[in-house]
mmCIF file of all heavy atoms in Angstrom:
data_model
loop_
_atom_site.group_PDB
_atom_site.id
_atom_site.type_symbol
_atom_site.label_atom_id
_atom_site.label_comp_id
_atom_site.label_asym_id
_atom_site.label_seq_id
_atom_site.Cartn_x
_atom_site.Cartn_y
_atom_site.Cartn_z
ATOM 1 N N GLU B 15 127.715 91.798 -0.487
ATOM 2 C CA GLU B 15 128.690 90.833 -0.020
ATOM 3 C C GLU B 15 130.030 91.065 -0.706
ATOM 4 O O GLU B 15 131.087 90.869 -0.075
ATOM 5 C CB GLU B 15 128.166 89.417 -0.305
ATOM 6 C CG GLU B 15 127.052 88.997 0.640
ATOM 7 C CD GLU B 15 126.216 87.863 0.089
ATOM 8 O OE1 GLU B 15 126.502 87.393 -1.027
ATOM 9 O OE2 GLU B 15 125.266 87.436 0.784
ATOM 10 N N GLN B 16 129.977 91.444 -1.934
ATOM 11 C CA GLN B 16 131.233 91.689 -2.653
ATOM 12 C C GLN B 16 132.069 92.759 -1.953
ATOM 13 O O GLN B 16 133.273 92.638 -1.863
ATOM 14 C CB GLN B 16 130.987 92.103 -4.084
ATOM 15 C CG GLN B 16 132.260 92.099 -4.945
ATOM 16 C CD GLN B 16 132.164 92.983 -6.148
ATOM 17 O OE1 GLN B 16 131.087 93.134 -6.730
ATOM 18 N NE2 GLN B 16 133.281 93.531 -6.583
ATOM 19 N N ALA B 17 131.397 93.774 -1.462
ATOM 20 C CA ALA B 17 132.131 94.856 -0.776
ATOM 21 C C ALA B 17 132.933 94.263 0.386
ATOM 22 O O ALA B 17 134.092 94.657 0.618
ATOM 23 C CB ALA B 17 131.171 95.911 -0.277
ATOM 24 N N VAL B 18 132.312 93.322 1.104
ATOM 25 C CA VAL B 18 133.031 92.708 2.219
ATOM 26 C C VAL B 18 134.186 91.864 1.668
ATOM 27 O O VAL B 18 135.301 91.915 2.209
ATOM 28 C CB VAL B 18 132.061 91.819 3.019
ATOM 29 C CG1 VAL B 18 132.812 90.939 3.976
ATOM 30 C CG2 VAL B 18 131.081 92.701 3.759
ATOM 31 N N MET B 19 133.941 91.144 0.607
ATOM 32 C CA MET B 19 135.017 90.338 0.040
ATOM 33 C C MET B 19 136.190 91.217 -0.355
ATOM 34 O O MET B 19 137.346 90.868 -0.161
ATOM 35 C CB MET B 19 134.477 89.552 -1.188
ATOM 36 C CG MET B 19 133.500 88.450 -0.872
ATOM 37 S SD MET B 19 134.121 87.196 0.272
ATOM 38 C CE MET B 19 135.283 86.300 -0.777
ATOM 39 N N GLU B 20 135.874 92.356 -0.959
ATOM 40 C CA GLU B 20 136.962 93.242 -1.423
ATOM 41 C C GLU B 20 137.899 93.575 -0.249
ATOM 42 O O GLU B 20 139.090 93.600 -0.400
ATOM 43 C CB GLU B 20 136.375 94.535 -2.022
ATOM 44 C CG GLU B 20 135.574 94.337 -3.301
ATOM 45 C CD GLU B 20 136.404 93.917 -4.515
ATOM 46 O OE1 GLU B 20 137.651 93.931 -4.424
ATOM 47 O OE2 GLU B 20 135.792 93.541 -5.550
ATOM 48 N N ALA B 21 137.285 93.850 0.888
ATOM 49 C CA ALA B 21 138.116 94.158 2.044
ATOM 50 C C ALA B 21 139.015 92.998 2.390
ATOM 51 O O ALA B 21 140.195 93.161 2.683
ATOM 52 C CB ALA B 21 137.235 94.520 3.260
ATOM 53 N N LEU B 22 138.449 91.829 2.353
ATOM 54 C CA LEU B 22 139.232 90.627 2.718
ATOM 55 C C LEU B 22 140.269 90.299 1.641
ATOM 56 O O LEU B 22 141.338 89.764 1.958
ATOM 57 C CB LEU B 22 138.316 89.424 2.938
ATOM 58 C CG LEU B 22 137.381 89.548 4.139
ATOM 59 C CD1 LEU B 22 136.439 88.362 4.212
ATOM 60 C CD2 LEU B 22 138.194 89.628 5.421
ATOM 61 N N TRP B 23 139.948 90.602 0.407
ATOM 62 C CA TRP B 23 140.914 90.330 -0.646
ATOM 63 C C TRP B 23 142.116 91.275 -0.500
ATOM 64 O O TRP B 23 143.255 90.927 -0.814
ATOM 65 C CB TRP B 23 140.261 90.480 -2.025
ATOM 66 C CG TRP B 23 139.532 89.242 -2.455
ATOM 67 C CD1 TRP B 23 139.890 87.948 -2.255
ATOM 68 C CD2 TRP B 23 138.284 89.170 -3.147
ATOM 69 N NE1 TRP B 23 138.956 87.103 -2.786
ATOM 70 C CE2 TRP B 23 137.960 87.829 -3.344
ATOM 71 C CE3 TRP B 23 137.400 90.146 -3.638
ATOM 72 C CZ2 TRP B 23 136.801 87.418 -4.004
ATOM 73 C CZ3 TRP B 23 136.258 89.728 -4.307
ATOM 74 C CH2 TRP B 23 135.947 88.370 -4.469
ATOM 75 N N GLN B 24 141.829 92.446 -0.014
ATOM 76 C CA GLN B 24 142.904 93.435 0.134
ATOM 77 C C GLN B 24 143.852 93.008 1.261
ATOM 78 O O GLN B 24 145.049 93.127 1.120
ATOM 79 C CB GLN B 24 142.277 94.789 0.519
ATOM 80 C CG GLN B 24 143.142 95.973 0.134
ATOM 81 C CD GLN B 24 142.410 96.882 -0.837
ATOM 82 O OE1 GLN B 24 141.216 97.130 -0.665
ATOM 83 N NE2 GLN B 24 143.107 97.389 -1.837
ATOM 84 N N ARG B 25 143.268 92.567 2.348
ATOM 85 C CA ARG B 25 144.091 92.197 3.491
ATOM 86 C C ARG B 25 143.305 91.157 4.275
ATOM 87 O O ARG B 25 142.096 91.320 4.440
ATOM 88 C CB ARG B 25 144.320 93.442 4.394
ATOM 89 C CG ARG B 25 145.351 93.278 5.445
ATOM 90 C CD ARG B 25 145.802 94.671 5.963
ATOM 91 N NE ARG B 25 144.671 95.525 6.348
ATOM 92 C CZ ARG B 25 144.191 95.575 7.608
ATOM 93 N NH1 ARG B 25 144.741 94.904 8.576
ATOM 94 N NH2 ARG B 25 143.158 96.354 7.878
ATOM 95 N N SER B 26 143.957 90.129 4.726
ATOM 96 C CA SER B 26 143.278 89.105 5.515
ATOM 97 C C SER B 26 144.312 88.292 6.283
ATOM 98 O O SER B 26 145.476 88.307 5.897
ATOM 99 C CB SER B 26 142.467 88.198 4.582
ATOM 100 O OG SER B 26 143.301 87.254 3.963
ATOM 101 N N PRO B 27 143.917 87.638 7.347
ATOM 102 C CA PRO B 27 142.565 87.645 7.918
ATOM 103 C C PRO B 27 142.236 88.927 8.658
ATOM 104 O O PRO B 27 143.131 89.621 9.114
ATOM 105 C CB PRO B 27 142.608 86.471 8.896
ATOM 106 C CG PRO B 27 144.035 86.369 9.317
ATOM 107 C CD PRO B 27 144.861 86.826 8.138
ATOM 108 N N LEU B 28 140.940 89.192 8.734
ATOM 109 C CA LEU B 28 140.462 90.380 9.457
ATOM 110 C C LEU B 28 139.355 89.958 10.418
ATOM 111 O O LEU B 28 138.676 88.959 10.214
ATOM 112 C CB LEU B 28 139.878 91.385 8.461
ATOM 113 C CG LEU B 28 140.807 92.073 7.488
ATOM 114 C CD1 LEU B 28 139.992 93.070 6.652
ATOM 115 C CD2 LEU B 28 141.974 92.762 8.187
ATOM 116 N N THR B 29 139.191 90.769 11.479
ATOM 117 C CA THR B 29 138.020 90.568 12.337
ATOM 118 C C THR B 29 136.845 91.348 11.721
ATOM 119 O O THR B 29 137.040 92.153 10.817
ATOM 120 C CB THR B 29 138.300 91.177 13.739
ATOM 121 O OG1 THR B 29 138.404 92.583 13.601
ATOM 122 C CG2 THR B 29 139.590 90.630 14.302
ATOM 123 N N ALA B 30 135.672 91.055 12.253
ATOM 124 C CA ALA B 30 134.483 91.757 11.752
ATOM 125 C C ALA B 30 134.672 93.278 11.942
ATOM 126 O O ALA B 30 134.375 94.076 11.068
ATOM 127 C CB ALA B 30 133.246 91.298 12.514
ATOM 128 N N GLN B 31 135.190 93.629 13.112
ATOM 129 C CA GLN B 31 135.513 95.039 13.373
ATOM 130 C C GLN B 31 136.344 95.640 12.258
ATOM 131 O O GLN B 31 136.017 96.685 11.693
ATOM 132 C CB GLN B 31 136.340 95.136 14.672
ATOM 133 C CG GLN B 31 135.558 95.342 15.947
ATOM 134 C CD GLN B 31 134.793 96.650 15.936
ATOM 135 O OE1 GLN B 31 135.079 97.568 15.179
ATOM 136 N NE2 GLN B 31 133.779 96.717 16.791
ATOM 137 N N GLU B 32 137.430 94.978 11.940
ATOM 138 C CA GLU B 32 138.341 95.521 10.952
ATOM 139 C C GLU B 32 137.684 95.643 9.575
ATOM 140 O O GLU B 32 137.876 96.628 8.871
ATOM 141 C CB GLU B 32 139.601 94.648 10.875
ATOM 142 C CG GLU B 32 140.473 94.773 12.097
ATOM 143 C CD GLU B 32 141.519 93.681 12.186
ATOM 144 O OE1 GLU B 32 141.269 92.546 11.726
ATOM 145 O OE2 GLU B 32 142.607 93.970 12.714
ATOM 146 N N VAL B 33 136.889 94.640 9.222
ATOM 147 C CA VAL B 33 136.183 94.728 7.954
ATOM 148 C C VAL B 33 135.286 95.952 8.003
ATOM 149 O O VAL B 33 135.255 96.746 7.026
ATOM 150 C CB VAL B 33 135.330 93.473 7.744
ATOM 151 C CG1 VAL B 33 134.443 93.665 6.505
ATOM 152 C CG2 VAL B 33 136.225 92.255 7.546
ATOM 153 N N CYS B 34 134.612 96.165 9.131
ATOM 154 C CA CYS B 34 133.733 97.339 9.232
ATOM 155 C C CYS B 34 134.524 98.605 9.074
ATOM 156 O O CYS B 34 134.062 99.537 8.400
ATOM 157 C CB CYS B 34 133.039 97.290 10.577
ATOM 158 S SG CYS B 34 131.801 98.577 10.788
ATOM 159 N N GLU B 35 135.698 98.663 9.652
ATOM 160 C CA GLU B 35 136.505 99.883 9.519
ATOM 161 C C GLU B 35 136.775 100.191 8.047
ATOM 162 O O GLU B 35 136.875 101.325 7.646
ATOM 163 C CB GLU B 35 137.809 99.710 10.270
ATOM 164 C CG GLU B 35 137.684 100.126 11.743
ATOM 165 C CD GLU B 35 138.713 99.391 12.636
ATOM 166 O OE1 GLU B 35 139.799 99.069 12.124
ATOM 167 O OE2 GLU B 35 138.376 99.131 13.821
ATOM 168 N N GLU B 36 136.862 99.133 7.274
ATOM 169 C CA GLU B 36 137.137 99.313 5.835
ATOM 170 C C GLU B 36 135.889 99.762 5.053
ATOM 171 O O GLU B 36 135.968 100.589 4.178
ATOM 172 C CB GLU B 36 137.660 98.023 5.216
ATOM 173 C CG GLU B 36 139.047 97.595 5.700
ATOM 174 C CD GLU B 36 140.121 98.566 5.285
ATOM 175 O OE1 GLU B 36 140.084 99.046 4.132
ATOM 176 O OE2 GLU B 36 140.986 98.896 6.141
ATOM 177 N N VAL B 37 134.757 99.134 5.364
ATOM 178 C CA VAL B 37 133.598 99.332 4.505
ATOM 179 C C VAL B 37 132.436 100.113 5.075
ATOM 180 O O VAL B 37 131.624 100.663 4.373
ATOM 181 C CB VAL B 37 133.078 97.969 3.993
ATOM 182 C CG1 VAL B 37 134.169 97.214 3.231
ATOM 183 C CG2 VAL B 37 132.534 97.131 5.145
ATOM 184 N N CYS B 38 132.327 100.113 6.417
ATOM 185 C CA CYS B 38 131.149 100.759 7.003
ATOM 186 C C CYS B 38 131.094 102.231 6.642
ATOM 187 O O CYS B 38 130.007 102.735 6.319
ATOM 188 C CB CYS B 38 131.156 100.594 8.522
ATOM 189 S SG CYS B 38 130.652 98.943 9.019
#
Side-chain angles (χ1 to χ4, degrees):
Chain B
E15 286 159 0
Q16 191 202 328
V18 167
M19 291 302 287
E20 295 291 351
L22 293 175
W23 278 321
Q24 204 121 40
R25 192 162 52 92
S26 79
L28 294 182
T29 67
Q31 268 298 341
E32 289 166 328
V33 172
C34 186
E35 273 153 31
E36 292 295 318
V37 302
C38 283

